Amino acid sequence: MPLLEIKDLSFTYGPGTVFEKKAVNNVSLSIEKGDFIGIIGHTGSGKSTFIQTLNGLYKPTEGQIILDGKDIWENPKKIRNVRFRVGMVFQYPEYQLFEETAEKDIAYGPKNMGLSDSEIKERVMKAAKFVGLKPELLKKSPFELSGGEKRRVAIAGVIAMEPDILILDEPTAGLDPNGRDILLAQISAYHREKENTVLLVSHSMEDISRIADKILVMNKGNMFAFDDTKKVFARGEELEKIGLRIPEITKIMIGLKDRGYNVSTDIYSVEQAVNEIIKLKKPNRKG
Amino acid sequence: MLKEITLGQYFPGRSVLHKMDPRMKIILLTVFIVFIFLTKNYVSLAIMVVSVIFVILFSGVSLKLYFKSLKAIIFIVLFTSVLNLFYGTGDPLFQWKFITITQAGINTSVFVAARIISLVLISSVLTYTTSPTDLTDGIEKLLKPLSVFHIKIHEIAMMMTIALRFIPTLLEETDKIMSAQKARGADFDSGNAMTRIKTLIPILIPLFVSAFRRAYDLAMAMESRCYHGGEGRTRMKVLKYSKYDYIALCVVCLLCIGVIICNIRLPITLRTGM
């Protein structure tokens, strides 16, 4: 049984009003435990709306979301429990901070779960460690921290709830390249250690190709593709057609193929490309 | 949820009312409201109500929106008009225990209801058909004479423009912060009054922080573009009265004359001034 099953999900904003807009259109997919899924798509492709239906912030207009065999809207009063299991880090999460100290802010989620004080403390420490926050920062006001530190506090606030599924909406937006790499590495390490499920929304194909096992491509509210990373990149030309920027290295491979070289185009890292090109050279070598 | 608020919202369009000068619209609206309250019999009231309906039809804005703006005040209208029903003087038409209903009572409650509804509708027309910047431009121009008393009209108008400009932004921001806190298990829908107030803290603090941040950013941006108040400032779009404004002015004048004549010539139905 898949951990999370999405069946014919549609979501319409303001149905029956002048502002009616269908944001997600008939999406069906299954997410297994331990998946690391990258979600890409243009601004307005419905990806943010899609992920917000997964933890019950939006109620689907049509279709179902089934978590562990149970429709999450079966009992609307228990939707909070779904939100604890499906943790969501919003875009620019640092704007949600409000407590006196970073520590208290991280504890907000676990506190809402009704955990004991000792358990909360332990979870806060663990979460802070995962995102690389120094213990001395935890006693500071979140408003005194730097932008990158604030973001870490906010992400830790969701990780501390120890959700089975962690959804991150562009966690690296606005960070410098170095900060971006570190944060992605930490998310990746967290995923490996906890063996939980992570959904990561990003604009950057390069970032996603590096860490995701599977990719969901959204286009105009529809599911354009959902497959292993390699198979999605094999459709590089189609991705370009819907206006997504594919990794430079994939473009090079497509270019080579267009010029009549027999290379595969499901390539998204330099190492893969090197191997592929070497393969190409070998049979042609004379002598 | 918060996106459904239509108060003070502007709906772009091409109607005659959209093309009118904001100054003229504000002046005529004021005159119009005064005359709604000067009506003293059913004929003059009918003149005003019918013209409100015509103005609404001319505005080219969906009727649904007007109903929406009425929804918000329906309770006030019902409350005041029902209350007025029992406070008439004169011969009772209907009596039951301590409740007496007189012709005067019915008249007052009809007038009260009609006046409040017309007032809200006609004011909605102004905000629906005038963009916030035009509106504040108009107010600034109209209040200009007050600068004789050293009142800083330009600054007041600028503050109004900025406030109006940021209403949708702050609403959107509130929505986002609410979602983020809900995702961390905030519960806004249950508990008693005290716990409910407490759940607002995680929304209000980030909202204030971001409002201040935006204010600083805006001040910085304005200063780096050499903003230094209204002195010597010229406008890109200079307000000018067009033929529509003069036509509207004539129409409203005729309406007012009509109301005055009806009030004088016809028997007065409403004696107690509201």
Side-chain angles (χ1 to χ4, degrees), chain A residues 134-251:
Chain A
K134 291 190 201 91
E136 62 261 31
L137 292 180
L138 290 179
K139 296 282 172 216
K140 278 194 173 178
S141 157
F143 300 109
E144 288 170 27
L145 304 178
S146 76
E149 286 162 350
K150 275 186 199 165
R151 175 136 340 155
R152 279 155 211 280
V153 171
I155 295 174
V158 176
I159 287 181
M161 301 195 301
E162 301 193 347
D164 297 329
I165 302 174
L166 176 67
I167 306 175
L168 300 119
D169 192 353
E170 301 216 25
T172 58
L175 293 184
D176 59 73
N178 191 31
R180 204 173 68 195
D181 287 347
I182 294 171
L183 187 60
L184 285 177
Q186 276 161 348
I187 292 168
S188 183
Y190 166 79
H191 167 69
R192 273 199 307 275
E193 193 170 327
K194 291 289 234 181
E195 293 178 337
N196 63 355
T197 312
V198 177
L199 271 69
L200 180 94
V201 174
S202 175
H203 269 305
S204 161
M205 278 282 195
E206 260 100 2
D207 286 354
I208 281 207
S209 67
R210 255 188 292 160
I211 58 174
D213 313 321
K214 284 185 181 174
I215 294 185
L216 167 66
V217 184
M218 300 278 292
N219 185 35
K220 292 176 185 160
N222 294 305
M223 185 170 96
F224 180 81
F226 178 56
D227 217 330
D228 294 338
T229 305
K230 217 173 153 83
K231 286 184 187 150
V232 169
F233 280 111
R235 297 167 67 182
E237 276 163 285
E238 282 175 72
L239 294 178
E240 277 208 307
K241 247 174 226 156
I242 62 165
L244 289 171
R245 228 177 45 96
I246 56 174
E248 292 297 324
I249 197 74
T250 312
K251 268 193 208 165

Side-chain angles (χ1 to χ4, degrees), chain B residues 85-86 88 91-96 99-106:
Chain B
L85 202 55
F86 308 122
D91 303 326
L93 287 176
F94 172 84
Q95 210 156 12
W96 180 73
I99 296 172
T100 29
I101 293 176
T102 63
Q103 183 62 47
I106 294 173

Side-chain angles (χ1 to χ4, degrees), chain B residues 84-85 87-91 102-109 269-270 272:
Chain B
N84 272 299
L85 202 55
Y87 284 94
T89 47
D91 303 326
T102 63
Q103 183 62 47
I106 294 173
N107 289 345
T108 342
S109 61
T269 41
L270 196 71
T272 47

Side-chain angles (χ1 to χ4, degrees), chain A residues 81-98:
Chain A
N81 296 342
V82 173
R83 293 186 187 141
F84 295 137
R85 292 197 58 199
V86 185
M88 166 95 91
V89 179
F90 277 85
Q91 243 177 71
Y92 297 101
E94 54 271 30
Y95 297 147
Q96 70 185 30
L97 302 176
F98 68 98

Side-chain angles (χ1 to χ4, degrees), chain A residues 13 37 131 139 237 276:
Chain A
Y13 283 105
I37 298 171
V131 295
K139 296 282 172 216
E237 276 163 285
E276 190 71 22

Side-chain angles (χ1 to χ4, degrees), chain B residues 1 3 16 37 48 55 75 90 106 124 165 191 229 231 246 267:
Chain B
M1 174 180 69
K3 282 179 189 123
V16 176
F37 283 88
M48 296 316 282
V55 171
F75 179 74
I106 294 173
S124 312
R165 151 74 182 77
E231 218 173 304
Y246 295 116

